[in-house]
Amino acid sequence: MSNDNVSAPKAANQNGSARARAAKAAEGIGDNPVALLAGGIALGVVIGMLLPRSAKERELLDPVGRQLADRATATASAVKQAGKQEIESLLPGRDATKERATALFGNLLEAAKGAGQKA
């Protein structure tokens, strides 16, 4: 028996297992189309980043990019302002807090006086 005859079944077995793994991977992808979509988008972004931009592309897309950046900045500012207002509405005002602290301090003084008289 030569080496060729012995290695032929091994090669066939490896090809069969590779095909089985490929089929199993294809089934897994079919079961999770969201992962396939996310992977495709990620691959597209990477390829897009690697390709150089043309002058025409810059000319057409720069204004769109500026508009998107301006809108994102305005949205972030509006969200920040709304968050500030929400927090301020949840927290008591300075005057109310001052009144509560004064009342609490007065109650503590009265309790201390009462404890001193009992002792």
Side-chain angles (χ1 to χ4, degrees), residues 108-119:
L108 289 174
L109 286 176
E110 290 296 319
K113 284 180 187 177
Q117 289 175 355
K118 287 182 181 179

Side-chain angles (χ1 to χ4, degrees), residues 83-119:
K84 259 186 181 178
Q85 289 175 352
E86 186 66 26
I87 289 172
E88 287 174 1
S89 71
L90 293 174
L91 296 176
R94 287 185 181 183
D95 293 336
T97 304
K98 188 176 180 180
E99 288 173 12
R100 284 184 182 174
T102 304
L104 177 63
F105 188 67
N107 290 341
L108 289 174
L109 286 176
E110 290 296 319
K113 284 180 187 177
Q117 289 175 355
K118 287 182 181 179

Side-chain angles (χ1 to χ4, degrees), residues 18-79:
R19 285 185 185 146
R21 285 184 291 209
K24 189 174 181 179
E27 283 178 23
I29 290 172
D31 291 343
N32 195 354
V34 174
L36 179 63
L37 178 66
I41 290 172
L43 182 62
V45 167
V46 169
I47 290 172
M49 290 172 56
L50 295 174
L51 294 175
R53 292 186 188 168
S54 67
K56 186 68 173 175
E57 186 180 17
R58 280 192 201 116
E59 176 186 330
L60 294 174
L61 294 180
D62 277 349
V64 174
R66 281 192 206 101
Q67 287 177 349
L68 287 175
D70 291 345
R71 286 182 187 171
T73 303
T75 301
S77 177
V79 167

